[in-house]
Amino acid sequence: MSIYNFRPNYGDAIISLSGGKALGGPTDGPVTKWQFDKGATIPTEAEIDDEVIRLQAEYDAQEYARNRKPEYPDIGDQLDDLYHKGAFSDEMAVKIKAVKDAHPKPE
């Protein structure tokens, strides 16, 4: 799954290719204006172009997940429903009940 919630750009490709050793630079290049940690392999412009394409394909493939996310019920509501349906293990149900008992819902 893509780590990007936005369209990846030139800078994202440099960071990806450098293994996180890119310190910063212009998000539209060139790579020669970027700063890197010592020992970082500095990617070529061709590698960066290919990585932007790869990251974009990864981003595009996750469109369904980005579209679903705002439509799902709140995670707390999902978990509460599972709790009330008895879907948790006995151990987890005891932990959840302890929290609910310690902080009761107002009437």
Side-chain angles (χ1 to χ4, degrees):
M1 178 179 234
S2 174
I3 61 169
Y4 300 101
N5 290 322
F6 51 89
R7 294 194 170 279
N9 61 33
Y10 185 94
D12 298 319
I14 290 176
I15 292 167
S16 174
L17 290 168
S18 72
K21 293 185 177 186
L23 301 175
T27 58
D28 58 351
V31 70
T32 55
K33 292 190 177 183
W34 274 73
Q35 294 181 348
F36 295 86
D37 279 339
K38 276 188 172 181
T41 301
I42 299 173
T44 66
E45 292 294 336
E47 290 171 329
I48 295 166
D49 292 343
D50 289 346
E51 185 67 358
V52 168
I53 292 168
R54 187 191 73 75
L55 292 173
Q56 183 64 49
E58 187 178 278
Y59 174 85
D60 291 345
Q62 293 299 311
E63 181 178 17
Y64 77 95
R66 291 188 304 278
N67 290 340
R68 284 180 180 177
K69 190 173 183 175
E71 295 183 31
Y72 279 128
D74 177 77
I75 191 68
D77 293 339
Q78 293 178 46
L79 292 171
D80 198 48
D81 185 68
L82 289 171
Y83 171 76
H84 288 291
K85 298 272 193 305
F88 287 109
S89 68
D90 291 341
E91 295 83 12
M92 182 59 71
V94 167
K95 290 177 184 179
I96 294 170
K97 183 167 180 357
V99 172
K100 287 180 175 284
D101 290 347
H103 308 283
K105 185 177 182 178
E107 296 295 325

